[in-house]
Amino acid sequence: MQMVFGANDEKKYYAARDVLIQRFTDWLIENPAGDQLAQGNAELVLDWKWGYSDGDLSLWTLAHFDELLLEWFPRKVMIASDEAEAVLTGLAAFMQFMHESRLMSRRSSSAPSIATHLRQLEPPFRRALSDRSRHGMGKSLFGAMSDLGMTFDPEDPSSIASLMDSFNALSFEERGAILGIDDDDNGTYQPALPRYLNLWVQLIAGIDLPPARAMTAVRRDELSADTTAAEKFALISSFFDRPRKLTKTGNLTIADGLDFAELLDSNGDVRTSHAKIRSSEELPGLGFWFDLAKKCGVIKSLKGTMSSTASSKKRSAADLHERAVAVLLKYGPLAYGGHAQWRNHDVEEVIDGGLPALLAVLFALDGAPIPYSSLLLTTQEIVRESITQNSYKTALYLDSATAELFNELWQLLQQFGAIECIEYSASDDVDPFETPTGDVLDGLIGVPISAANLGAPVPSNVGLILTELGQVVVAPYLASLGMEVPEVGVLTHRPLPELIARVSDWHRSRIKAEFVAWVVANGAELALTELTQLARSADDVQERVAIVELAASLPGQAEHAVRGLLPTKVSGHAMVWLLTHELEQPNDDNMRQAMLASFELLSLRCLGEPDDDIEFLSTITTIFESLPPAEFCELLWRVDELWAGDVLAAVGRLHPDKSVAKQARKAVMQHHTYLANLRK
């Protein structure tokens, strides 16, 4: 008897399942180890094994039951916690039947160990069933509606349709409460937190976010109207200007469904590839846009027909875009868009659960790209740690599924104008003092990547960025999840040194935005005077760099402001800025100044952190290709700055060449003696 089934073995699977259930029913008559629920639970579990797990009906391990009972059951199955014991008893009976019938493979756990494990799982299983944060959206909806006294027949499509009409008739606040979205004091809605947040939270622990960007309503409307989503909504509205009849299950007729799918995907041969479909909901991609258009009010059903709405035609593109993105971010883009029958729903859930963290990383970079491969590898690692692996869901399988869904996630967000995928490379023209933004990516060569080419494996020079529109959309979303998106202007009426003192704690973009607000309130002349005064006594490396950067941002007087800093302690960094902007002719003196300023920046990597050590050693190796170690040590031990000794000590500690490390340690002692003599 065949016991292993793949995604395309639907008929064979159902035939084998029916045979197994009939044999189990006959076995129960002679072995009343479970009650009448045992048969139904066995059928449910077999469906899970084929549809959500590995498809091997002969393989049953303890890990399978952990995933089934603590993950899938609470999310999908409508049962009360007081039914937990009956479910476990029925499962134990079914496993005993499988064992006695010799249908379990040798790699399975033994029937006695499974029975013991099931008894041990009863307390956590009960808790999981009662924990509404573990419920999927559908289960949350139907459970809450039942609590309100709205009964329905899950086997009757018209009954479910009636229930959904009742749900849609509720206020947005009532619907939000049912779906686990709470109304906070500000009148915004907070999504229920995903269950896989621990690993994602660790990823962004302590992350420092920049302030939200300001955007005019006209600009936002312009950007929203230019998205693929806006184009599709316009096509949908036009298609339903003529009311379309719906089937009893609320779907389009096959003829209208084919026309609709062809409209949305003009490049595909929809009619030829789906000539034998039984329902329009089988058409890929159609269900997603159909549902989203209904949710956003572009179309509505009335008396068995679906038609466009007059109100949506009057709404701005920005308003419609905001509503659509809010739906996706609240319910998870992959889960909301996943209408295919055979999907990796557990992987979907982990990636959707990590979307806040992924967007926070992109938002923190403030428009600068992050390698696509880096984000993908991190996501694959988290998926592997979050999902029970077995003979089918191996690490290789999970990595492949993650890559496919990860790609799908960004393709979807691209259609809403929030994400852009670019090829980038370093350039000699990079301005080290320019904060990267969505519309100014100095030194980055932006080449759009088509959705078809955005797949695994991805070249290492392909990166993701939040677009200008994406920055505006993501800021309130992250704030609604409790992340701090800072406001600008909190130090406007405070002395400027208070702002400079924050450079090691605040995001670079926040420092710059706060400085701009300070200048507007207090004037550029006072700002330059304050910066020059601070530059005369600045000993902290980060403060020195920030002073030059802020002076260079003064409107209309960047060169004058930076030149005024040359007689101060930030002279090296000021010279770097002037040379980079070709405002000085290179010579031995100013190039030495610039080189020492670069080495001073290197001292920020001398703190002994593993990642810092790796980057420090890589940079030093590059430096030694043009500046011999002996000259490097001779240059630095004569510098009247503490940071020079820190850099030499780090070379002595990290360099793999013992002779180079010894030279550096000797130079450290020379530097100590040099500073002591200067102090005397």
Side-chain angles (χ1 to χ4, degrees):
M1 179 178 180
Q2 182 179 345
M3 295 292 283
V4 181
F5 303 91
N8 299 319
D9 297 331
E10 183 176 356
K11 290 184 179 179
K12 293 180 181 179
Y13 161 71
Y14 283 118
R17 185 199 68 176
D18 292 344
V19 170
L20 274 178
I21 294 301
Q22 184 58 53
R23 289 185 186 180
F24 180 47
T25 304
D26 296 339
W27 182 86
L28 280 174
I29 296 174
E30 299 179 1
N31 302 272
D35 58 22
Q36 294 180 349
L37 287 175
Q39 179 182 343
N41 287 330
E43 184 174 318
L44 193 64
V45 169
L46 289 173
D47 286 346
W48 167 79
K49 201 64 158 66
W50 175 65
Y52 290 87
S53 187
D54 51 28
D56 188 346
L57 306 187
S58 67
L59 179 63
W60 299 91
T61 65
L62 303 185
H64 280 114
F65 291 100
D66 289 342
E67 183 177 349
L68 169 69
L69 297 169
L70 303 182
E71 301 286 339
W72 186 77
F73 249 87
R75 187 172 74 248
K76 294 289 188 181
V77 184
M78 293 284 295
I79 63 169
S81 59
D82 55 9
E83 297 180 48
E85 183 179 1
V87 171
L88 296 174
T89 301
L91 286 182
F94 183 59
M95 288 298 104
Q96 184 63 31
F97 155 74
M98 293 286 287
H99 169 69
E100 292 182 9
S101 303
R102 298 190 177 184
L103 294 172
M104 295 174 72
S105 69
R106 293 182 179 180
R107 292 177 295 132
S108 297
S109 301
S110 66
S113 65
I114 290 176
T116 300
H117 189 62
L118 290 175
R119 287 194 297 271
Q120 294 171 341
L121 281 180
E122 183 175 345
F125 183 38
R126 285 181 183 274
R127 289 193 298 270
L129 290 175
S130 301
D131 185 357
R132 290 210 170 189
S133 68
R134 292 173 174 261
H135 297 177
M137 186 174 70
K139 183 175 176 180
S140 296
L141 170 61
F142 293 132
M145 296 297 278
S146 296
D147 291 343
L148 295 174
M150 300 180 186
T151 59
F152 68 100
D153 180 1
E155 303 296 329
D156 182 2
S158 61
S159 177
I160 295 178
S162 176
L163 181 75
M164 293 306 300
D165 288 341
S166 299
F167 173 76
N168 291 330
L170 298 174
S171 67
F172 193 74
E173 292 82 356
E174 291 171 317
R175 283 179 279 168
I178 287 174
L179 295 174
I181 305 170
D182 301 322
D183 190 8
D184 63 18
D185 294 336
N186 299 321
T188 57
Y189 295 94
Q190 197 139 341
L193 295 178
R195 289 180 291 117
Y196 298 101
L197 275 183
N198 336 341
L199 296 170
W200 290 113
V201 167
Q202 291 174 23
L203 177 67
I204 59 171
I207 195 170
D208 188 25
L209 299 180
R213 292 194 188 172
M215 180 181 287
T216 65
V218 173
R219 176 62 174 164
R220 182 162 184 177
D221 201 52
E222 176 185 295
L223 292 174
S224 299
D226 196 36
T227 62
T228 302
E231 178 185 347
K232 288 189 181 294
F233 280 144
L235 290 172
I236 292 169
S237 179
S238 176
F239 181 81
F240 286 100
D241 280 344
R242 177 171 69 82
R244 310 280 176 162
K245 289 185 178 181
L246 300 177
T247 65
K248 292 182 179 179
T249 56
N251 296 314
L252 291 174
T253 63
I254 293 178
D256 282 339
L258 287 169
D259 288 342
F260 189 35
E262 196 170 54
L263 179 72
L264 295 178
D265 183 15
S266 57
N267 296 323
D269 190 358
V270 175
R271 296 184 182 279
T272 302
S273 56
H274 297 91
K276 297 182 180 180
I277 63 170
R278 295 168 295 180
S279 169
S280 62
E281 66 179 345
E282 295 178 20
L283 295 167
L286 183 148
F288 170 75
W289 289 106
F290 187 59
D291 289 349
L292 191 59
K294 287 190 292 183
K295 180 76 74 175
C296 295
V298 176
I299 55 178
K300 66 177 181 180
S301 60
L302 182 65
K303 296 181 179 179
T305 62
M306 186 67 68
S307 59
S308 58
T309 62
S311 59
S312 69
K313 298 180 186 296
K314 299 177 182 178
R315 291 164 65 185
S316 67
D319 182 34
L320 195 57
H321 180 269
E322 181 179 5
R323 175 63 178 154
V325 172
V327 170
L328 288 183
L329 295 182
K330 284 179 181 177
Y331 303 128
L334 293 176
Y336 193 83
H339 286 260
Q341 180 182 2
W342 188 268
R343 289 176 67 90
N344 293 285
H345 297 288
D346 45 359
V347 179
E348 276 181 5
E349 189 170 354
V350 176
I351 298 177
D352 274 346
L355 185 59
L358 293 169
L359 291 178
V361 169
L362 290 169
F363 186 76
L365 291 172
D366 202 29
I370 187 171
Y372 183 95
S373 56
S374 297
L375 281 183
L376 174 58
L377 289 172
T378 300
T379 304
Q380 287 174 326
E381 182 179 344
I382 290 177
V383 167
R384 288 196 302 270
E385 292 187 35
S386 302
I387 297 176
T388 303
Q389 297 180 33
N390 48 46
S391 61
Y392 180 57
K393 291 188 177 178
T394 60
L396 182 62
Y397 170 82
L398 289 175
D399 283 353
S400 175
T402 301
E404 180 181 350
L405 289 169
F406 192 74
N407 179 36
E408 183 180 324
L409 173 71
W410 301 118
Q411 285 187 29
L412 185 58
L413 291 176
Q414 276 183 313
Q415 295 189 69
F416 289 84
I419 296 293
E420 186 177 352
C421 187
I422 65 170
E423 285 183 356
Y424 66 95
S425 60
S427 167
D428 295 333
D429 298 326
V430 173
D431 180 358
F433 297 99
E434 180 62 42
T435 301
T437 62
D439 51 358
V440 180
L441 290 170
D442 290 339
L444 301 179
I445 304 172
V447 180
I449 305 296
S450 69
N453 295 329
L454 183 57
V458 179
S460 59
N461 65 327
V462 170
L464 289 173
I465 62 170
L466 275 182
T467 63
E468 183 183 357
L469 181 61
Q471 294 268 342
V472 174
V473 167
V474 166
Y477 170 64
L478 297 180
S480 74
L481 296 176
M483 299 185 199
E484 182 184 358
V485 179
E487 296 181 5
V488 175
V490 295
L491 296 180
T492 297
H493 302 294
R494 303 294 299 168
L496 191 58
E498 289 191 24
L499 173 59
I500 301 301
R502 304 292 182 95
V503 296
S504 60
D505 303 319
W506 281 8
H507 194 283
R508 186 181 180 189
S509 296
R510 184 179 183 184
I511 292 290
K512 191 168 183 179
E514 192 71 28
F515 178 72
V516 170
W518 197 95
V519 171
V520 170
N522 300 281
E525 185 176 347
L526 180 59
L528 182 55
T529 301
E530 293 277 356
L531 287 175
T532 305
Q533 185 64 33
L534 286 166
R536 293 193 180 102
S537 58
D539 290 322
D540 182 82
V541 179
Q542 294 183 73
E543 290 184 6
R544 290 180 179 182
V545 174
I547 287 169
V548 175
E549 179 179 356
L550 296 180
S553 70
L554 288 170
Q557 50 180 317
E559 181 181 356
H560 166 70
V562 173
R563 286 192 181 280
L565 300 176
L566 288 175
T568 70
K569 286 191 173 184
V570 304
S571 59
H573 301 290
M575 184 56 67
V576 169
W577 189 90
L578 292 170
L579 288 170
T580 302
H581 288 79
E582 299 182 352
L583 299 172
E584 279 286 333
Q585 292 299 318
N587 57 49
D588 289 344
D589 289 339
N590 59 29
M591 288 302 292
R592 181 179 183 278
Q593 265 189 299
M595 183 166 55
L596 287 175
S598 299
F599 294 164
E600 184 179 11
L601 285 175
L602 186 61
S603 69
L604 295 175
R605 298 292 182 184
C606 296
L607 301 178
E609 296 291 336
D611 289 344
D612 286 339
D613 285 351
I614 293 172
E615 187 167 340
F616 177 88
L617 189 56
S618 173
T619 305
I620 283 293
T621 302
T622 303
I623 290 172
F624 285 172
E625 291 175 359
S626 55
L627 183 66
E631 293 183 27
F632 176 84
C633 292
E634 180 73 17
L635 175 66
L636 281 189
W637 77 255
R638 297 178 184 276
V639 173
D640 180 16
E641 294 279 3
L642 292 174
W643 62 261
D646 294 338
V647 172
L648 288 170
V651 174
R653 176 171 57 89
L654 296 172
H655 205 282
D657 188 320
K658 292 183 178 180
S659 63
V660 173
K662 184 177 180 179
Q663 287 182 60
R665 289 194 294 270
K666 179 183 176 181
V668 171
M669 299 305 298
Q670 291 175 303
H671 184 254
H672 286 329
T673 304
Y674 178 68
L675 290 184
N677 290 334
L678 286 178
R679 301 298 179 266
K680 291 178 182 179

